[in-house]
Amino acid sequence: MTAYRARLTETDIHRLIKASDDDERAAAAHKLCRSMDKAELTEEEREAAQKILRMLAHDAVELVRRAMAVTLKSSDLIPRDVARALAADVDSVALPLINFSPAFTDEDLIEIVQAGSALRQVAVAGRPAVGRDVATAVAELGCEQAVRTLAANDNADIAEAALGRCVDRFGTSPEIVAAIAYRQVLPLSVTERLVELASDAVREHLVTRHAVAPETAIRLAAFARERATVDLVDQASNHADLAAFTAGLNARKALTGSLLLRALARGQMALFEYGLAELAGTPHPRAWLMIHDAGPLGLKAIYDRAGLPPRLFQAFRAGVDTWRALQAEGADTAGDDFRQQMLQRFLTQRPNAPREDLAYLMERLDQDPMPARPAIGVAAA
């Protein structure tokens, strides 16, 4: 196999040298690079291959250099000095490598960003993995398209301060705000800023998929008639500390019977439990026992102690009974499907709930699932 590989390389090198036109030489360069990349090279052969690549990197024909860059853009065969040389070449040669090559260090990529070429900044921002220092450089110095590409790249490690800098620089860009909002993980400080800047659809995504402080959700709800409706029930599912969440709501007089009924009807049993515990001044474990294990009078006792309206008790009773029945049937109470199933079954019982709450629940029943993250970015150069 080694002898065959050596002959193949010799033949291709000879073809490259003897080729009479640019297209033929580029085709020979492509074949040569592909064969070297696929071969299992010894250390000595690898050094020989890299000498050939250094020769190709200085070829006078742009098409030959581009053939090498495109063929080996993701390969670890290209040495760093060759990658750096090609990164300073014309865009058609440089961009494939800047976008993909593992040969670059973070320092190399930061240098490329600092040089100021918009196309090259975009290529850095869209790499398969972007380190934190590189992301910070793009956030600070990158053009609008580069920052948008970075924000849409979930494989970019973007520090909280860098995300904040993106908002500082391009908070008026709907595309960048949306790209940041649809990242898989967002710091609370960034989410809080984005809810003021985002479109209705993006704001809905933020408050249902990322944590925001209760006061922010309540403040947004105050102008819900003009802007997107902020759903505190959905918001609660993103909080690990429901005790603190419900305490915050109660301090602002937002922990109402209406909110708890909506939560229960949508399968948010934990929010209902913690809400009753907060209103009744009872530890959560005791509230849980009274709701689930204290017989038919336990729920009534803690409900009355919480000071909730007597006229709504039967609706709450129907909600708890529905939740228990579905749980007994083996439903996964943590999933989105359960919430829809719970809501459907609850509404079929025609609960004696206020009209505005029933309207809310019917609207949630008809609401489409949250759309997947939109594709935000640019085509490869």
Side-chain angles (χ1 to χ4, degrees):
M1 177 65 187
T2 302
Y4 172 74
R5 183 169 62 240
R7 286 198 305 273
L8 176 62
T9 303
E10 261 185 47
T11 301
D12 288 341
I13 293 174
H14 187 267
R15 179 185 172 200
L16 181 64
I17 294 172
K18 296 296 184 181
S20 58
D21 62 64
D22 292 352
D23 288 346
E24 187 178 354
R25 295 187 67 235
H30 166 71
K31 184 177 180 184
L32 177 62
C33 290
R34 185 175 60 182
S35 67
M36 290 190 299
D37 187 40
K38 290 182 177 297
E40 295 179 7
L41 303 177
T42 65
E43 190 59 37
E44 182 181 355
E45 290 169 336
R46 186 178 180 87
E47 290 178 5
Q50 290 180 339
K51 287 181 181 179
I52 295 171
L53 296 181
R54 289 186 176 94
M55 177 190 73
L56 290 176
H58 292 92
D59 196 284
V61 178
E62 176 187 331
L63 200 58
V64 171
R65 303 194 305 276
R66 175 168 171 77
M68 179 179 73
V70 171
T71 305
L72 299 178
K73 64 182 181 181
S74 300
S75 174
D76 63 357
L77 185 60
I78 291 186
R80 183 187 176 204
D81 62 299
V82 173
R84 284 178 58 86
L86 293 175
D89 209 323
V90 296
D91 286 344
S92 65
V93 175
L95 292 178
L97 286 170
I98 294 173
N99 200 189
F100 292 100
S101 178
F104 297 111
T105 64
D106 281 359
E107 289 73 18
D108 296 332
L109 296 171
I110 291 171
E111 185 179 321
I112 291 170
V113 172
Q114 292 172 338
S117 163
L119 286 175
R120 298 177 192 219
Q121 289 176 344
V122 171
V124 171
R127 284 171 63 86
V130 179
R132 179 161 289 208
D133 291 343
V134 177
T136 298
V138 174
E140 186 64 41
L141 302 171
C143 66
E144 182 172 346
Q145 187 61 42
V147 172
R148 178 183 176 187
T149 301
L150 179 74
N153 184 353
D154 277 322
N155 292 318
D157 181 7
I158 313 177
E160 182 173 350
L163 283 170
R165 187 64 180 133
C166 293
V167 178
D168 290 340
R169 296 181 62 210
F170 298 110
T172 58
S173 166
E175 293 83 6
I176 289 180
V177 169
I180 297 173
Y182 279 88
R183 289 187 64 78
Q184 293 178 358
V185 177
L186 275 183
L188 178 61
S189 64
V190 176
T191 307
E192 298 271 287
R193 294 183 65 187
L194 291 180
V195 292
E196 301 285 359
L197 303 171
S199 66
D200 291 352
V202 175
R203 183 180 294 108
E204 178 72 12
H205 172 84
L206 283 167
V207 299
T208 56
R209 297 299 176 91
H210 294 289
V212 298
E215 56 266 30
T216 300
I218 293 166
R219 174 166 46 82
L220 287 170
F223 57 86
R225 291 185 183 87
E226 299 174 7
R227 306 299 295 270
T229 297
V230 177
D231 197 328
L232 292 175
V233 175
D234 283 340
Q235 174 58 203
S237 65
N238 295 309
H239 279 265
D241 190 351
L242 279 177
F245 181 76
T246 53
L249 294 179
N250 194 28
R252 295 162 183 80
K253 302 189 182 303
L255 191 61
T256 63
S258 176
L259 175 69
L260 292 180
L261 180 60
R262 295 176 182 194
L264 180 60
R266 297 190 59 211
Q268 296 269 27
M269 178 59 77
L271 175 58
F272 173 62
E273 294 166 358
Y274 276 97
L276 277 190
E278 171 66 25
L279 291 174
T282 300
H284 174 256
R286 179 168 175 76
W288 188 95
L289 286 171
M290 296 183 74
I291 294 169
H292 298 287
D293 271 356
L297 299 181
L299 176 62
K300 183 68 165 66
I302 192 170
Y303 183 90
D304 291 342
R305 184 170 177 176
L308 293 173
R311 64 184 177 83
L312 292 182
F313 176 72
Q314 291 305 320
F316 279 96
R317 173 87 270 171
V320 172
D321 290 345
T322 301
W323 191 90
R324 286 178 180 167
L326 287 171
Q327 185 187 45
E329 294 170 12
D332 176 9
T333 59
D336 290 338
D337 289 344
F338 173 81
R339 293 183 186 181
Q340 286 297 98
Q341 193 176 1
M342 170 81 188
L343 184 52
Q344 290 170 1
R345 193 173 297 188
F346 175 78
L347 289 172
T348 59
Q349 298 183 45
R350 303 180 66 83
N352 184 26
R355 180 178 300 175
E356 60 270 21
D357 290 328
L358 289 175
Y360 161 88
L361 294 172
M362 290 299 297
E363 180 184 346
R364 301 307 293 186
L365 184 63
D366 292 338
Q367 192 174 65
D368 292 333
M370 185 63 65
R373 175 187 177 118
I376 301 176
V378 295

